[in-house]
């Protein structure tokens, strides 16, 4: 495939505006699911590429380029679907629910959910795994207590994303540090200028939102707890998950081992046919209680397929937009003209947010702004640590707010709440870019480049 030249600024801007109209009109105006605007946008971008004299072979290669780079996350989603089903079937998540029903306090539940997922996320370095395990259990407890699922999802996501950003085990944190060419631990330390204020303010907001909550009574929660039977086995897969994460074993083999061990335990009480059905279709509880059925009937590979389809369409569009250099053509003139540090950081954040909504892939939304603005940071005398933090505060965290984004689609499927419903309550993701901009324009926490 020949190297694609960058399009003219005006042509690229017209396409960007058209895509914004397509997505805004379809999703916000007509209330359609992301499938339709993604397909229409894909067709429009293909026409744009063809008008630029791209061959059909080149267009096909560009469509597949982004999907090929994201095969690992797609496979990860299938593993997580299997893991959720097995953790339900082997009483791991029900035991977490039992514990939550017995100790939950309505006034402190939301901030507690935030802190628990933040700690677990920091320990294992993966927001996805945190959401699929502890996050699912907390969603069950919060829903049973009468909280809005969107509110609980916001608390769970805020903590999990903070934990992911703060962990040296996190893929996204390592990627941002690598793109900025900075030391990993210096990068994490510098992140605290924006991530800690965002976490603290989120914590305070969730305290306020949880105050005066009138939901399920303690008696009702204890009744639900009485329908569950806790087991010692819960400790085994949890310790295995954390231990392999600390040993820096990649996510896919970590989850495969956990699926294997948990599947073997499942076979002690069931046959292979039942195991195969659970892995494919998810777990179905024998409990007659409607609340428990809604909480426990989860997981399976097929449950993840709607998410995988949305992500593949978004990645196909993202691959074509990236290879056709659309976003670069729109942002490059701006990057070359800005002469002061606050403007460079602002431009990086805007590019990261735009990349998330246009490309839908978290890693590309980190890589693209990092590459596009790297020389601008050097030119205005800012440390590369400021670059790493800027791409984290936009490229990494905002993907969870994009309905067709890899992270947003995964969170919606795993937690059972649509992105547009929980997005207003993911305060950490909403506040991180705000505090990053405040830091840029006040100069607080901004490091200069060494002479």
């Amino acid at each position: 495939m020949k190297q694609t030249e960058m399009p003219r600024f005006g042509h690229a801007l017209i396409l960007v505006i058209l895509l914004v109209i397509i997505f805004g009109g379809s999703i916000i105006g007509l209330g359609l699911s992301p499938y339709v605007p993604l397909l229409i946008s894909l067709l429009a971008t293909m026409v744009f590429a063809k008008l630029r004299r791209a061959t059909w072979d080149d267009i096909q290669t560009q469509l597949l380029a982004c999907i090929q780079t994201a095969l690992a996350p797609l496979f990860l989603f299938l593993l997580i679907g299997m893991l959720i089903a097995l953790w339900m079937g082997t009483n791991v998540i029900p035991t977490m629910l039992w514990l939550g029903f017995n100790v939950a306090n309505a006034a402190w539940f939301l901030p507690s959910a935030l802190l628990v997922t933040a700690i677990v996320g920091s320990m294992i370095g993966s927001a996805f795994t945190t959401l699929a395990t502890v996050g699912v259990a907390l969603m069950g407890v919060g829903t049973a207590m009468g909280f809005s699922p969107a509110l609980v999802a916001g608390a769970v996501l805020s903590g999990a994303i903070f934990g992911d950003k703060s962990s040296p085990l996190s893929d996204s944190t390592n990627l941002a540090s690598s793109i900025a060419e900075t030391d990993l631990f210096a990068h994490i330390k510098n992140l605290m200028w924006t991530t800690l204020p965002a976490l603290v303010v989120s914590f305070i907001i969730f305290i306020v939102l949880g105050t005066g909550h009138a939901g399920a009574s303690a008696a009702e929660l204890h009744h639900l707890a009485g329908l569950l039977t806790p087991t010692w086995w819960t400790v085994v897969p949890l310790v295995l998950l954390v231990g392999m994460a600390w040993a820096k074993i990649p996510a896919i083999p970590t989850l495969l081992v956990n699926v294997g061990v948990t599947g073997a335990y499942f076979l002690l009480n069931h046959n292979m046919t039942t195991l195969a059905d659970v892995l494919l279709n998810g777990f179905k509880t024998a409990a007659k209680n409607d609340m428990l059925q809604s909480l426990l009937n989860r997981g399976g590979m097929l449950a993840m397929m709607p998410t995988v389809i949305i992500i593949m369409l978004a990645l196909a569009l993202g691959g074509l937009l990236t290879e056709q250099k659309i976003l670069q053509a729109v942002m490059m003139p701006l990057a070359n003209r800005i002469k002061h540090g606050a403007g460079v950081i602002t431009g990086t954040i805007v590019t990261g947010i735009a990349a998330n909504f246009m490309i839908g892939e978290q890693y590309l939304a980190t890589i693209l702004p990092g590459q596009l603005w790297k020389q601008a940071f050097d030119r205005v005398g800012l440390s590369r640590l400021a670059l790493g933090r800027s791409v984290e505060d936009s490229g990494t965290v905002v993907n969870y707010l994009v309905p067709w984004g890899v992270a947003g689609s995964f969170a919606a499927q795993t937690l059972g709440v649509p992105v547009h419903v929980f997005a207003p309550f993911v305060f950490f993701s909403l506040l991180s870019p705000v505090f990053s901009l405040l830091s840029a324009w006040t100069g607080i926490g901004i490091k200069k480049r060494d002479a």
Side-chain angles (χ1 to χ4, degrees):
M1 185 179 68
K2 65 181 181 181
Q3 185 68 26
T4 303
E5 294 182 0
M6 191 175 296
R8 294 180 181 178
F9 170 80
H11 294 169
L13 184 61
I14 290 172
L15 179 62
V16 169
I17 294 172
L18 176 62
L19 296 184
V20 170
I21 292 172
I22 291 171
F23 279 111
S26 299
I27 295 176
I28 299 175
L30 301 177
L32 300 177
S33 67
Y35 302 100
V36 175
L38 282 171
L39 280 172
I40 297 173
S41 298
L42 193 53
L43 289 169
T45 309
M46 284 177 60
V47 171
F48 179 88
K50 194 60 185 171
L51 290 174
R52 297 189 65 217
R53 303 184 185 281
T55 67
W56 289 116
D57 286 340
D58 283 348
I59 289 174
Q60 176 171 289
T61 302
Q62 292 170 358
L63 284 172
L64 297 176
C66 198
I67 296 176
Q68 291 170 347
T69 63
L71 286 177
L74 292 175
F75 183 50
L76 191 70
F77 294 167
L78 298 180
L79 289 175
I80 286 177
M82 289 189 281
L83 187 66
I84 291 174
L86 285 173
W87 277 30
M88 290 294 185
T90 57
N91 217 36
V92 177
I93 293 178
T95 298
M96 295 182 191
L97 291 172
W98 174 86
L99 180 63
F101 291 150
N102 279 297
V103 304
N105 180 294
W108 288 95
F109 174 76
L110 293 175
S112 297
L114 173 73
L115 293 181
V116 167
T117 50
I119 293 169
V120 173
S122 298
M123 290 174 63
I124 63 179
S126 170
F128 284 7
T129 308
T130 302
L131 295 176
T133 53
V134 178
V136 170
L138 288 170
M139 283 296 300
V141 175
T143 303
M145 295 178 70
F147 283 102
S148 161
L151 198 54
V152 180
V156 167
L157 276 162
S158 293
I161 298 167
F162 170 83
D164 189 296
K165 282 188 65 175
S166 306
S167 174
L169 306 176
S170 167
D171 288 346
S172 60
T173 302
N174 276 273
L175 175 63
S177 175
S178 175
I179 291 297
E181 300 176 19
T182 59
D183 175 74
L184 174 61
F185 289 96
H187 169 70
I188 293 174
K189 181 179 178 181
N190 192 56
L191 282 176
M192 295 302 114
W193 284 100
T194 54
T195 53
L196 278 181
L199 182 72
V200 170
V201 174
S202 299
F203 183 79
I204 293 171
I205 293 173
F206 283 120
I207 289 177
V208 173
L209 292 176
T211 302
H213 171 74
S217 66
E220 291 173 313
L221 293 177
H222 285 304
H223 171 69
L224 287 174
L227 300 176
L228 300 169
T229 304
T231 63
W232 62 270
W233 156 255
T234 300
V235 177
V236 176
L238 286 172
V239 170
L240 184 63
L241 191 68
V242 174
M244 293 186 72
W246 274 90
K248 297 184 178 180
I249 298 172
I252 287 177
T254 294
L255 292 180
L256 269 173
V257 169
N258 212 296
V259 166
V261 172
T262 312
Y265 184 80
F266 185 86
L267 285 174
L268 295 178
N269 299 302
H270 305 85
N271 57 36
M272 186 63 74
T273 302
T274 304
L275 173 63
D277 180 67
V278 167
L279 292 176
L280 184 64
N281 298 305
F283 176 73
K284 300 294 185 292
T285 181
K288 302 301 182 184
N289 184 278
D290 291 340
M291 174 65 75
L292 288 183
Q293 287 183 359
S294 66
L295 296 178
L296 301 181
N297 291 347
R298 304 287 297 277
M301 287 187 286
L302 289 182
M304 303 303 293
M305 289 312 296
T307 300
V308 171
I309 293 170
I310 289 177
I311 290 171
M312 289 187 69
L313 289 172
L315 291 176
L317 175 61
L320 198 53
L321 289 171
T322 301
E323 296 297 327
Q324 288 291 319
K325 301 180 180 178
I326 306 302
L327 196 58
Q328 295 96 314
V330 173
M331 299 304 298
M332 185 66 77
L334 182 63
N336 291 334
R337 284 183 173 86
I338 294 179
K339 304 299 182 182
H340 54 90
V344 168
I345 293 174
T346 302
T348 306
I349 292 171
V350 170
T351 305
I353 294 172
N356 268 309
F357 280 91
M358 291 189 65
I359 300 173
E361 211 284 316
Q362 188 181 47
Y363 291 163
L364 286 176
T366 300
I367 294 170
L368 186 59
Q371 293 176 335
L372 185 61
W373 290 89
K374 185 181 293 185
Q375 299 306 317
F377 275 78
D378 294 341
R379 189 179 69 248
V380 300
L382 289 179
S383 168
R384 291 284 183 86
L385 288 171
L387 171 64
R389 190 173 75 194
S390 299
V391 297
E392 286 262 48
D393 285 337
S394 55
T396 301
V397 305
V398 174
N399 199 259
Y400 291 88
L401 307 179
V402 181
W404 52 90
V406 173
S409 299
F410 172 80
Q413 178 62 45
T414 303
L415 302 181
V417 185
V419 177
H420 71 276
V421 176
F422 68 60
F425 302 102
V426 188
F427 298 115
F428 181 81
S429 289
L430 297 171
L431 290 169
S432 287
V434 173
F435 278 109
S436 199
L437 290 171
L438 286 174
S439 174
W441 288 96
T442 61
I444 298 173
I446 297 297
K447 294 185 179 296
K448 300 294 184 180
R449 187 182 181 192
D450 294 334

